[in-house]
Amino acid sequence: MDEPQLVYNENSPIYTSQEVQVEEMTSFHLYCHVNGNPNPTIRLRRGVNANVIAETNGTKWLNHTINSLQCSDTDEYTCSGDSTGLPSKKIVFRINVICK
């Protein structure tokens, strides 16, 4: 299984431990790609407790949109790929919402 690759708002890559600055009240489109055979389960988690906010099976892409970012969306996020018999792969990044 390959390392996850992240892109937000159609064309901006995200790297591990990167902090993404986004303005409040804007939409945020996140695309997480994890290549594997078989296709892994891809999960997007938020925060210290790692609550799952999106999950997909049977595809190499997880797409998630926050329609209107709020200050409260500032947090650490993790995109991970899991497949039976293989070690999990993940990328951790931070969304920092610039409040008005």
Side-chain angles (χ1 to χ4, degrees):
M1 183 167 31
D2 295 340
E3 296 292 328
Q5 297 176 344
L6 288 173
V7 175
Y8 72 98
N9 294 348
E10 282 79 39
N11 60 3
S12 301
I14 300 175
Y15 304 101
T16 295
S17 301
Q18 181 176 352
E19 185 173 288
V20 177
Q21 305 280 337
V22 189
E23 291 204 19
E24 183 183 22
M25 306 298 285
T26 59
S27 60
F28 184 83
H29 308 286
L30 179 70
Y31 309 91
C32 181
H33 179 263
V34 184
N35 190 33
N37 188 8
N39 287 335
T41 298
I42 303 171
R43 292 182 183 92
L44 179 62
R45 293 180 170 89
R46 176 183 176 181
V48 177
N49 296 327
N51 297 321
V52 175
I53 58 174
E55 181 176 323
T56 186
N57 290 314
T59 180
K60 296 175 182 179
W61 287 95
L62 178 141
N63 303 322
H64 182 71
T65 300
I66 301 172
N67 290 318
S68 181
L69 284 167
Q70 304 298 311
C71 293
S72 60
D73 291 315
T74 295
D75 211 338
E76 185 174 273
Y77 292 80
T78 304
C79 182
S80 65
D82 299 289
S83 191
T84 304
L86 296 173
S88 295
K89 302 284 183 161
K90 69 180 179 179
I91 185 169
V92 179
F93 64 101
R94 181 170 185 79
I95 296 176
N96 184 27
V97 180
I98 301 166
C99 302
K100 295 181 179 182

